[in-house]
Amino acid sequence: MMKNGIVVVDDDPIIRMDICEMLEEEGYTLAGEAKNGEEAVELVARVKPDLVIMDVKMPVMNGIKAARIIRSMQDTSVLLLTAYSQRELVRDARDAGVAAYLVKPVSEEDLIPAVEIALSQKRRIDSLKQDLERLKQSAEDRKAIEKAKGLLMKAYALEEEEAYRRMREASMSARMPMGRLAELILSDGPEAMSGHGA
């Protein structure tokens, strides 16, 4: 379920310990602890956790500023802890891309569902990103295939269908994806086909 675990950030070591214990009891992996926002940013850049649970009020750099930096670096979910629930805090937290916030003292009944929600948001974002990557790749492949087909048509005076058929056959006999074959044709010229079964 989780790849890189959870980072817990609070300037109070007892609160950190409590939260870490609650998480471990529920079987979550801990990726590290930090005592202020600056340490949190450095730690997150290094361990790339799935989730950061972070206090708002901390010395050196507060949780909202740290959350904003973390969210701009990577898709780590952030769960903020606060001793008070103020309107502008909620707005700032939302603007910083925070998944949720909890009011301290945090109980296990509040923490675990919030962690689950934040992690499921992270999984959804990850899977959307993968889908986008695949779409981008297939669009790039289509462009390359079109260009390579054009090169073959020109080089061997072929009709479009014949050029495409030859590419498909070469792709199948070389057990090479069409996109990869197209890249070869574009980089090495139409002769690249002859080495791949066409």
Side-chain angles (χ1 to χ4, degrees):
M1 179 188 71
M2 268 181 12
K3 295 196 298 286
N4 306 335
I6 301 176
V7 161
V8 176
V9 189
D10 198 303
D11 57 329
D12 182 335
I14 293 176
I15 291 176
R16 279 204 314 270
M17 195 175 71
D18 281 350
I19 289 172
C20 288
E21 276 176 9
M22 286 185 225
L23 293 169
E24 282 179 321
E25 272 169 27
E26 289 294 319
Y28 291 108
T29 310
L30 290 172
E33 298 177 36
K35 61 180 180 293
N36 62 52
E38 202 170 69
E39 274 186 17
V41 169
E42 284 168 23
L43 182 62
V44 166
R46 207 168 58 243
V47 301
K48 298 184 174 21
D50 298 300
L51 174 63
V52 178
I53 299 175
M54 182 160 50
D55 190 19
V56 171
K57 279 188 84 163
M58 293 182 293
V60 189
M61 184 192 291
N62 73 33
I64 287 182
K65 188 171 182 197
R68 196 168 275 125
I69 296 169
I70 287 165
R71 296 285 301 141
S72 70
M73 290 191 311
Q74 61 205 45
D75 286 317
T76 294
S77 271
V78 178
L79 190 56
L80 280 184
L81 305 176
T82 170
Y84 38 80
S85 124
Q86 288 180 316
R87 270 235 167 78
E88 75 253 32
L89 171 80
V90 177
R91 196 186 57 236
D92 289 348
R94 200 181 51 227
D95 293 346
V98 168
Y101 78 98
L102 290 171
V103 177
K104 294 203 280 196
V106 176
S107 68
E108 199 162 328
E109 295 79 67
D110 292 335
L111 179 68
I112 301 309
V115 164
E116 269 310 302
I117 289 166
L119 286 172
S120 77
Q121 283 182 346
K122 162 102 171 86
R123 284 192 292 270
R124 207 166 53 236
I125 288 166
D126 285 349
S127 100
L128 279 172
K129 278 198 133 164
Q130 283 171 349
D131 291 349
L132 276 174
E133 275 306 306
R134 276 197 293 271
L135 280 173
K136 206 171 104 195
Q137 186 55 51
S138 66
E140 282 165 12
D141 283 352
R142 277 199 303 275
K143 270 189 230 155
I145 291 165
E146 282 303 306
K147 279 187 186 162
K149 192 170 65 179
L151 270 182
L152 292 181
M153 288 163 66
K154 219 179 191 157
Y156 303 119
L158 300 171
E159 292 292 314
E160 187 175 1
E161 264 145 51
E162 177 60 16
Y164 187 73
R165 191 185 63 74
R166 286 196 192 183
M167 280 179 71
R168 277 220 63 83
E169 281 175 5
S171 148
M172 283 157 74
S173 71
R175 289 193 172 82
M176 183 187 292
M178 284 282 276
R180 178 80 193 99
L181 178 70
E183 281 167 20
L184 273 179
I185 294 168
L186 293 174
S187 64
D188 303 347
E191 312 77 63
M193 284 276 284
S194 55
H196 296 287

